[in-house]
């Protein structure tokens, strides 16, 4: 950059016996034809407009000085652009704001690029409504809605002074803000202040919305987990319901069979001494099964009774053991007979 400026100085100022004035510098820059240093403004009408706007800016704000330097766009292309740099002193109680106003290749039909120079002593606010903290780029209402011929550099700087007097871009220890009454503001100033207030309100609303979204996301995760548990529980209950329905069907069928049997074997029509005759085996295996079950359960009852009497001392232990041995032997042969016939011992449970 310093090398470029030294070459530009040699190119533009060699024809001057004394350092050129700002107007002479602008004329020399706009008339330069060197392929290395010439700016990209080629249309005569565009050149006249740029000269008029720059001269008007420097007359209205003498703190600004013209310059021509390489500018790199966001897409990486570099071009030599005229620019005006200086400091804005918006009030005596605030630090000055160093600005650089770059004239775009298509100026004045494209808005100039305005940057706030970084300041070590006064860093830029992180959430300033009009200044991007990392690059210093300004995006005020005036620039966003730039339209030629209604807009020019002098009015732009005037607008920046107004908005920065209410919302200074630097961190500093402010004194009491100047009193502001809406009736004293122009339409553009009112729009700028409204944009600023809307920006802060939107920032606060976005922050609250972000917190609410985080809270709702956490709640959603909990609801999803509960829904999974509920679905699992419903599936379990549905399976249990199906099993119960099948069991009810089985029990209903058994109850129907029992009702049918009771109708055929009505106790009131059978003499008391013949009730047991109602339970008759239909074949030889069934008869053997009934006899074995009756004998097995009778043996169990007898052994249980012997356990009680031996505990009370009514029967001697030797007699008890002898009787239990005989009963167990008979019970074993009865169960072996069932196994030999292929009948499951589950009937004895």
């Amino acid at each position: 950059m310093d090398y470029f400026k030294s070459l530009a100085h040699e190119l533009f100022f060699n024809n001057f016996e004394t350092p050129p004035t700002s107007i002479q510098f602008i004329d020399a820059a706009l008339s330069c034809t060197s392929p290395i240093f010439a700016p990209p403004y080629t249309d005569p009408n565009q050149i006249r407009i740029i000269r008029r706007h720059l001269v008007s800016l420097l007359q209205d704000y003498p703190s600004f000085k013209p310059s021509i330097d390489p500018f790199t766009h966001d897409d990486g292309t570099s071009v030599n652009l005229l620019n005006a740099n200086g400091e804005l002193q918006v009030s005596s109680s605030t630090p000055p704001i160093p600005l650089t106003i770059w004239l775009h290749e298509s100026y004045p039909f494209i808005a100039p690029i305005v940057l706030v120079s970084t300041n070590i002593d006064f860093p830029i606010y992180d959430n300033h409504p009009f200044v991007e903290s990392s690059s210093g780029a300004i995006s005020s209402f005036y620039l966003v809605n730039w339209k030629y011929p209604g807009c020019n550099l002098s009015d732009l700087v005037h607008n920046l002074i107004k908005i920065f007097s209410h919302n200074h871009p630097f961190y500093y220890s402010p004194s009491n803000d100047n009193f502001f009454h809406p009736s004293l503001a122009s339409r553009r100033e009112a729009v700028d202040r409204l944009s600023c207030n809307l920006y802060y309100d939107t920032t606060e609303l976005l922050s609250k919305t972000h917190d609410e979204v985080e809270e709702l996301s956490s709640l959603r995760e909990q609801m999803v987990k509960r829904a999974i548990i509920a679905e699992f529980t419903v599936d379990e209950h549905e399976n249990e319901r199906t099993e119960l329905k099948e069991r009810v069907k089985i029990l209903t069928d058994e109850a129907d069979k029992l009702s049918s049997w009771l109708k055929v074997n009505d106790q009131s029509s059978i003499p008391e001494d013949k009730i047991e005759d109602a339970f008759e085996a239909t074949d030889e295996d069934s008869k053997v099964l009934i006899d074995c079950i009756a004998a097995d359960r009778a043996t169990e009852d007898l052994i249980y009774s012997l356990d009680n009497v031996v505990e009370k001392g009514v029967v001697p232990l030797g007699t008890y053991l002898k009787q239990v041995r005989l009963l167990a032997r008979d019970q074993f042969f009865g169960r072996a007979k069932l196994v030999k016939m292929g009948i499951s011992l589950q009937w004895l449970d």
Side-chain angles (χ1 to χ4, degrees):
M1 180 69 75
D2 293 337
Y3 176 71
F4 179 86
K5 286 187 174 181
S6 65
L7 290 178
H9 185 278
E10 181 180 355
L11 176 67
F12 296 140
F13 303 154
N14 278 346
N15 295 327
F16 300 99
E17 296 180 358
T18 59
T21 63
S22 296
I23 296 177
Q24 289 173 332
F25 179 92
I26 294 171
D27 291 338
L30 291 174
S31 61
C32 177
T33 58
S34 169
I36 301 177
F37 305 110
Y41 319 113
T42 56
D43 182 72
N45 186 49
Q46 179 190 25
I47 292 175
R48 284 194 296 272
I49 296 173
I50 290 175
R51 183 184 186 281
R52 184 171 69 250
H53 283 192
L54 277 175
V55 170
S56 177
L57 171 67
L58 300 178
Q59 290 175 346
D60 294 339
Y61 301 96
S63 62
F64 280 87
K65 301 298 180 183
S67 180
I68 181 168
D69 301 291
F71 181 86
T72 303
H73 289 287
D74 293 338
D75 60 3
T77 59
S78 182
V79 63
N80 300 328
L81 294 182
L82 273 170
N83 62 84
N85 55 81
E87 292 185 341
L88 287 185
Q89 188 69 54
V90 297
S91 71
S92 59
S93 60
T94 59
I97 305 170
L99 288 182
T100 301
I101 304 174
W102 297 85
L103 273 60
H104 192 276
E105 299 97 307
S106 300
Y107 184 89
F109 303 102
I110 299 295
I113 303 163
V114 187
L115 302 177
V116 176
S117 301
T118 56
N119 191 316
I120 298 176
D121 296 329
F122 303 105
I124 299 174
Y125 276 106
D126 291 333
N127 293 315
H128 195 277
F130 303 120
V131 183
E132 210 282 319
S133 59
S134 60
S135 65
I138 297 176
S139 58
S140 67
F141 180 82
Y142 190 95
L143 284 171
V144 172
N145 294 275
W146 178 279
K147 187 175 181 180
Y148 178 78
C151 297
N152 57 71
L153 299 178
S154 294
D155 288 347
L156 168 64
V157 174
H158 177 76
N159 177 255
L160 293 177
I161 292 174
K162 290 296 183 180
I163 64 174
F164 287 151
S165 65
H166 303 303
N167 297 92
H168 202 280
F170 293 150
Y171 281 106
Y172 71 99
S173 299
S175 59
N176 293 331
D177 292 332
N178 295 330
F179 176 77
F180 175 83
H181 193 280
S183 62
L184 302 179
S186 66
R187 179 178 179 275
R188 182 166 291 154
E189 292 176 53
V191 170
D192 288 332
R193 286 187 61 83
L194 178 60
S195 300
C196 181
N197 291 335
L198 287 175
Y199 175 85
Y200 287 124
D201 291 343
T202 303
T203 302
E204 182 179 2
L205 180 60
L206 287 175
S207 177
K208 291 181 179 179
T209 303
H210 177 74
D211 294 339
E212 291 178 359
V213 169
E214 291 291 334
E215 183 178 353
L216 290 175
S217 297
S218 176
L219 180 60
R220 179 181 177 275
E221 292 179 0
Q222 296 179 13
M223 296 301 293
V224 169
K225 292 179 180 178
R226 292 182 182 180
I228 294 174
I229 295 174
E231 290 178 0
F232 180 75
T233 304
V234 169
D235 291 341
E236 284 189 333
H237 289 170
E238 188 65 27
N239 293 335
E240 185 178 355
R241 177 172 174 270
T242 302
E243 292 177 359
L244 290 175
K245 287 178 67 176
E246 293 176 355
R247 187 174 178 184
V248 167
K249 184 177 181 302
I250 293 173
L251 293 176
T252 302
D253 294 341
E254 294 295 332
D256 292 340
K257 293 179 182 179
L258 182 59
S259 298
S260 299
W261 184 87
L262 289 175
K263 290 179 181 179
V264 175
N265 303 280
D266 188 3
Q267 183 178 348
S268 60
S269 62
I270 302 175
E272 186 173 351
D273 58 344
K274 301 292 184 179
I275 291 179
E276 293 184 358
D277 295 340
F279 299 93
E280 294 181 354
T282 58
D283 52 42
E284 188 63 26
D285 289 343
S286 298
K287 183 177 181 180
V288 172
L289 176 60
I290 292 175
D291 292 341
C292 288
I293 291 174
D296 190 90
R297 291 181 177 175
T299 301
E300 291 287 340
D301 292 341
L302 185 54
I303 292 174
Y304 177 76
S305 298
L306 287 174
D307 289 340
N308 290 331
V309 296
V310 78
E311 288 179 0
K312 295 177 181 179
V314 176
V315 176
L317 181 61
T319 304
Y320 166 77
L321 293 176
K322 181 179 179 180
Q323 292 297 323
V324 169
R325 188 181 304 113
L326 292 173
L327 292 172
R329 178 174 174 273
D330 293 339
Q331 189 180 40
F332 172 78
F333 283 120
R335 294 187 176 186
K337 185 177 181 180
L338 291 175
V339 173
K340 186 176 180 181
M341 294 175 62
I343 299 175
S344 175
L345 294 180
Q346 292 180 348
W347 289 98
L348 301 177
D349 296 337

